[in-house]
Amino acid sequence: MQWRALVLGLVLLRLGLHGVLWFVFGLGPSMGFYQRFPLSFGFQRLRGPDGPASPASGPSGRPGPRGAPSGPSWLQSPGSGVAAGQRRAPRRPGPGVCGPAHWGYVLGGRGRGRDEYEKRYSRAFPPQLRAQMRDLARGMFVFGYDNYMAHAFPQDELNPIHCRGRGPDRGDPSNLNINDVLGNYSLTLVDALDTLAIMGNSSEFQKAVKLVIDTVSFDKDSTVQVFEATIRVLGSLLSAHRIITDSKQPFGDMTIKDYDNELLHMAHDLAVRLLPAFENTKTGIPYPRVNLKTGVPPDSNNETCTAGAGSLLVEFGILSRLLGDSTFEWVARRAVKALWNLRSNDTGLLGNVVNIQTGHWVGKQSGLGAGLDSFYEYLLKSYILFGEKEDLEMFNAAYQSIQNYLRRGREACNEGEGDPPLYVNVNMFSGQLMNTWIDSLQAFFPGLQVLIGDVEDAICLHAFYYAIWKRYGALPERYNWQLQAPDVLFYPLRPELVESTYLLYQATKNPFYLHVGMDILQSLEKYTKVKCGYATLHHVIDKSTEDRMESFFLSETCKYLYLLFDEENPVHKSGTKYMFTTEGHIVSVDRHLRESPWKEFFSEEGAQDQEGKSVHRPKSHELRVINSSSNCNRVPDERRYSLPLKSIYMRQIDQMVGLI
C-alpha cells in the first residue's frame, strides 16, 4: 500500500506543478516584462479563399461565424462585413503594445515562441553589449567609407568585391539603375558627410568637406534623376552646411576654417541645374530626369512616379529659406499640390505613375512602397520643418485614406480575431486588391507612424518585416505575403527596417529593438561583408552577392544602426530637436525654417484671392528685397499653428520650436 500512496503522491505533485506553470505562463496573469513578443519564425502558409484552413477560420480550422468572409482577411476588401459607406475609424495613437495574440500569429509562435522571447528578448540589454554593438556599427561604416576613399574616390560608388570605383554607364544611357543615381560627382563621399559628424569624427568630416569643396562640380554632362540628386546630394550638402554653421556645435568642433558657405553655394548651383525639370510641363509636375549641363533631354519621358515628383519639398524648402529665395520651395510645393489634386475623388488615394503633361494616371497602384513611399513621408516632415498647415491637412487626409483602403486585417493589432494588420497594394480608384506582394521600401512606414504617435500599429507592422528578416537574414526586394515567399530576391543594403527599428526604440525604450538591431548588424556582417566593403545580396536565400555598395548604406543604414546603440549621442542629448530626411540626412528643427516671408505668395500663377483679384507670385529678386526687410526676423503668428493635432506627438513637434 505504501508504494501506491507514493505513486499517487507523485502524480498529484506533477499535476500541481503543471497547474502552477499553466497559471504563470499560460492563461494566468503576466509575470514578466510588460511587452510580450513570442518569437518563433515558422511562418504559416496563407491559403486563398478556397483553401482548407485559413486565419479567418475559427479555432482548430472550424468555420467562423455565418456570413464571415472566407480566406485571409488580407485578401478581403476593407469594406467586408462593414455597412456600405462606412469607413474605418481613425486609429487611436498611443503607446500600446502588441501582445501574444498578434505575435503568435504573425511570427508563427505556438507555445514555444514565448519561451524564446523570455530567454532572449525580454532581458535587459547590458551596457557592455550595447557599447560593443555601437562600435560594430561604427566599424561597419569606417570599413565601407575607408575602402571607398582608397579604391573608388572620386567615382560615385564602390564595387566592394573587386575593390574599384563605379561611375555612370556612359556606354548604355538606358541603364537607369545606374545612371539615375550616379552623376559623376563623388556621390558616396557627399552622401556620407553628416554620418561622419554624427559619429563625432571631426577631423575626417573637415577633411571630407574640404575635399568636396575642392573637387566636386555639378557642371557635368550627366543625366540624373531629379529625386535621387535631390535627396542624396542636395540634402547632404544642406545638412553638412547647417552642421558647420551651428553655433552650438553639438557633435564636437565641426567648423571649417575660412568657411564661406561653399556647401550652400554648391547646393544652390545643383538646384538651379535641376529647375529645368519643372519647366514646360502642363501640370507643374516635374520631368523625372535632367542633364546637369543641358537641361531636360529632348527625348525625355513624360511619365514619373509620385514619390519622385512629390518628395522634393523638404530639401527645396530648406534651400529657399536659407537663401531667402522662394523659387525652389514654390516649384516643389506646386508639384505636391498638382499631384494631390489628381487623387481619386472616391478613395482619396493616389496612383504610383502619372503623365506630367496630361495628368492621367499611368500606374493606378496605390500602396506604401516604391513609387509612393516618400510622398507621404514628406507631407508630414514638411509640416514638421516649415509649420505650413496645408501640409499637415494633406497628410492627415492621406493617412485616413490609407487606413480606409490599404490597411487589412483585424481592427486592433493586439486583440480580436482574424489576421494581424498589413498594408496592401490596391487600385487607387476602387480600393480593390491589385496583387499580394509588398516591397522592402514599405518597412519605412512604422517609423512614420511613430512620428504621428500611432505607436501600437507601428509596433505590429514592424513585427511583420522583422519576421521576414529573421527568416532570410535580409529583406527581399519584394515578398509575396500570400505565398509566403520572395517575389524579387535581392537586397541592396536598404535602411528602411533599421530606420523604423531606431524610431520605435526611441518611442518605447523597449530593449527588444536593441536585439532587433543586433540581429540586423550580425546578418550584415555575416552575409554582406566582402573584401573591400559591403555588397548587395543578389539572392536572399543562397546569399550570393552583387558587386555594388550603394551610397545609402553609409548615409542611412550604418547611421541608424549607430544611433540605435549610442544612447549618449548628441542627437539624443543636445537639447536640439532633429529630423531626418528620406535619405537620412539630419536637419535641426527650429524657428528659422518656419519663418516664411513669402507665404502669402504661395498660390498658383494666375490664381485669385478671396476677392477675385489676381494674385502675383514675385520673382526671386523681389523676394530677396522682402527677405532683407525687418519682416524676415519677425516672430511667427502663433495663432497660425493652433490647429487640431493628431496626437501628443504632433503637439511635441510644435513644442520643439516654441510655437505652442
Side-chain angles (χ1 to χ4, degrees):
M1 295 296 294
Q2 289 182 347
W3 69 269
R4 290 181 179 177
L6 180 61
V7 169
L8 180 61
L10 289 173
V11 169
L12 292 174
L13 178 61
R14 183 172 181 177
L15 290 173
L17 287 172
H18 275 292
V20 171
L21 291 172
W22 173 85
F23 178 80
V24 174
F25 297 107
L27 301 178
S30 171
M31 304 294 287
F33 190 58
Y34 83 99
Q35 280 185 308
R36 297 283 186 171
F37 298 99
L39 297 176
S40 177
F41 295 90
F43 279 95
Q44 294 187 359
R45 183 174 297 277
L46 299 180
R47 308 182 194 279
D50 298 325
S54 72
S57 303
S60 303
R62 293 189 296 272
R66 175 176 291 185
S70 61
S73 61
W74 293 338
L75 290 168
Q76 306 298 326
S77 165
S80 297
V82 180
Q86 184 176 346
R87 291 287 178 260
R88 184 190 302 276
R91 302 286 307 156
R92 286 197 308 256
V97 299
C98 289
H102 168 79
W103 286 82
Y105 175 75
V106 172
L107 306 181
R110 291 294 185 270
R112 61 189 178 90
R114 177 171 298 188
D115 292 338
E116 181 178 345
Y117 174 72
E118 288 297 329
K119 290 177 181 178
R120 181 177 182 187
Y121 289 91
S122 66
R123 67 173 184 260
F125 206 86
Q128 299 86 346
L129 182 59
R130 189 175 191 142
Q132 181 183 345
M133 292 299 104
R134 179 200 63 207
D135 293 343
L136 180 59
R138 181 196 286 119
M140 181 178 290
F141 171 84
V142 169
F143 185 67
Y145 177 84
D146 285 351
N147 274 288
Y148 166 78
M149 296 303 298
H151 302 292
F153 177 81
Q155 295 192 69
D156 287 309
E157 284 182 353
L158 170 67
N159 287 351
I161 296 175
H162 290 99
C163 304
R164 56 177 179 241
R166 179 198 294 264
D169 187 352
R170 301 297 191 190
D172 183 10
S174 66
N175 185 0
L176 300 181
N177 183 46
I178 299 297
N179 293 328
D180 270 359
V181 177
L182 309 187
N184 194 23
Y185 37 39
S186 303
L187 173 65
T188 297
L189 174 63
V190 175
D191 214 0
L193 289 177
D194 65 307
T195 308
L196 289 167
I198 285 172
M199 291 185 178
N201 192 341
S202 58
S203 61
E204 189 60 36
F205 174 79
Q206 292 162 346
K207 177 182 175 182
V209 168
K210 291 176 183 177
L211 203 55
V212 168
I213 293 171
D214 292 340
T215 66
V216 174
S217 169
F218 301 119
D219 189 22
K220 305 283 188 180
D221 184 18
S222 298
T223 298
V224 296
Q225 191 185 91
V226 174
F227 171 70
E228 295 289 359
T230 297
I231 66 170
R232 300 201 197 201
V233 182
L234 182 62
S236 185
L237 292 172
L238 293 170
S239 176
H241 167 73
R242 285 174 63 80
I243 289 171
I244 294 167
T245 57
D246 187 346
S247 60
K248 298 179 182 178
Q249 288 296 300
F251 302 109
D253 184 8
M254 300 292 163
T255 58
I256 306 292
K257 185 179 179 181
D258 299 323
Y259 180 71
D260 190 25
N261 298 324
E262 286 91 346
L263 295 186
L264 181 60
H265 297 321
M266 292 179 69
H268 186 201
D269 177 49
L270 175 59
V272 168
R273 295 173 186 274
L274 299 177
L275 280 181
F278 297 87
E279 300 171 0
N280 301 317
T281 76
K282 296 178 181 178
T283 61
I285 302 170
Y287 285 92
R289 298 172 185 88
V290 296
N291 183 286
L292 296 177
K293 188 182 286 285
T294 63
V296 177
D299 58 347
S300 187
N301 191 351
N302 284 327
E303 297 174 0
T304 189
C305 70
T306 303
S311 304
L312 309 172
L313 183 52
V314 165
E315 290 84 2
F316 274 48
I318 292 172
L319 180 63
S320 273
R321 294 179 187 228
L322 291 180
L323 294 174
D325 182 343
S326 73
T327 304
F328 307 101
E329 182 173 349
W330 186 83
V331 296
R333 190 171 292 279
R334 181 180 63 169
V336 171
K337 290 180 179 178
L339 287 164
W340 184 249
N341 290 334
L342 293 175
R343 70 194 186 280
S344 167
N345 292 329
D346 295 323
T347 66
L349 298 173
L350 295 89
N352 58 347
V353 180
V354 67
N355 186 298
I356 66 172
Q357 302 296 351
T358 65
H360 293 155
W361 289 104
V362 179
K364 299 177 178 61
Q365 176 176 298
S366 192
L368 300 179
L372 276 157
D373 51 352
S374 54
F375 176 80
Y376 301 124
E377 178 185 2
Y378 268 22
L379 290 178
L380 178 61
K381 290 186 175 180
S382 295
Y383 171 73
I384 293 172
L385 276 181
F386 308 132
E388 302 292 349
K389 179 179 177 180
E390 63 181 347
D391 296 332
L392 181 61
E393 291 173 341
M394 284 188 288
F395 175 80
N396 283 337
Y399 192 72
Q400 186 62 66
S401 293
I402 289 168
Q403 297 300 318
N404 288 342
Y405 293 99
L406 271 61
R407 189 184 187 277
R408 304 293 172 87
R410 57 176 172 256
E411 184 68 23
C413 128
N414 197 28
E415 59 188 21
E417 298 297 326
D419 305 308
L422 183 70
Y423 292 81
V424 300
N425 299 318
V426 304
N427 183 291
M428 64 171 290
F429 295 110
S430 66
Q432 296 301 307
L433 187 70
M434 287 192 70
N435 51 58
T436 59
W437 53 259
I438 57 171
D439 63 57
S440 62
L441 291 172
Q442 291 178 249
F444 92 98
F445 198 67
L448 189 64
Q449 290 181 307
V450 167
L451 294 185
I452 61 167
D454 206 347
V455 180
E456 179 173 339
D457 235 25
I459 290 170
C460 297
L461 186 59
H462 174 275
F464 184 84
Y465 298 105
Y466 178 48
I468 299 172
W469 184 285
K470 285 293 289 184
R471 170 178 270 194
Y472 300 108
L475 272 185
E477 193 72 349
R478 278 188 188 174
Y479 184 81
N480 191 306
W481 47 259
Q482 184 181 23
L483 300 178
Q484 296 294 293
D487 275 350
V488 179
L489 288 153
F490 70 90
Y491 167 65
L493 309 175
R494 290 200 188 279
E496 284 75 19
L497 179 61
V498 185
E499 176 186 9
S500 289
T501 302
Y502 165 66
L503 291 171
L504 272 165
Y505 178 71
Q506 291 301 311
T508 67
K509 296 302 180 182
N510 190 327
F512 169 76
Y513 296 105
L514 299 177
H515 289 282
V516 173
M518 183 168 67
D519 279 343
I520 294 173
L521 261 174
Q522 292 173 338
S523 294
L524 291 171
E525 282 289 307
K526 182 177 181 180
Y527 299 125
T528 72
K529 190 173 185 178
V530 292
K531 182 179 179 181
C532 292
Y534 294 84
T536 291
L537 280 183
H538 175 73
H539 197 294
V540 298
I541 297 176
D542 67 23
K543 303 301 187 292
S544 57
T545 56
E546 294 181 17
D547 198 10
R548 186 177 188 186
M549 187 180 81
E550 292 218 39
S551 67
F552 53 65
F553 177 70
L554 299 183
S555 71
E556 296 186 82
T557 308
C558 292
K559 178 185 293 162
Y560 287 127
L561 283 168
Y562 180 80
L563 287 173
L564 175 65
F565 295 107
D566 189 19
E567 188 76 1
E568 302 302 314
N569 194 278
V571 171
H572 309 134
K573 296 291 186 179
S574 69
T576 300
K577 304 303 179 183
Y578 293 100
M579 188 196 80
F580 294 93
T581 71
T582 194
E583 184 71 9
H585 297 307
I586 195 165
V587 180
S588 59
V589 180
D590 55 39
R591 283 179 176 270
H592 179 65
L593 291 179
R594 287 203 169 194
E595 295 175 358
S596 171
W598 54 74
K599 181 186 177 185
E600 59 269 30
F601 302 116
F602 275 147
S603 59
E604 297 294 335
E605 283 185 312
Q608 296 181 337
D609 63 15
Q610 293 178 349
E611 298 179 358
K613 297 178 180 179
S614 177
V615 175
H616 167 61
R617 185 179 76 86
K619 307 301 182 188
S620 299
H621 70 275
E622 295 175 311
L623 286 163
R624 289 193 187 97
V625 172
I626 295 172
N627 193 53
S628 65
S629 71
S630 59
N631 288 334
C632 70
N633 295 317
R634 76 189 190 285
V635 177
D637 182 358
E638 296 185 4
R639 291 172 295 179
R640 288 172 52 202
Y641 305 102
S642 59
L643 61 150
L645 298 178
K646 183 172 179 63
S647 68
I648 189 172
Y649 279 76
M650 296 302 297
R651 292 188 181 278
Q652 289 172 343
I653 287 169
D654 275 350
Q655 288 170 349
M656 288 178 187
V657 289
L659 294 175
I660 61 173

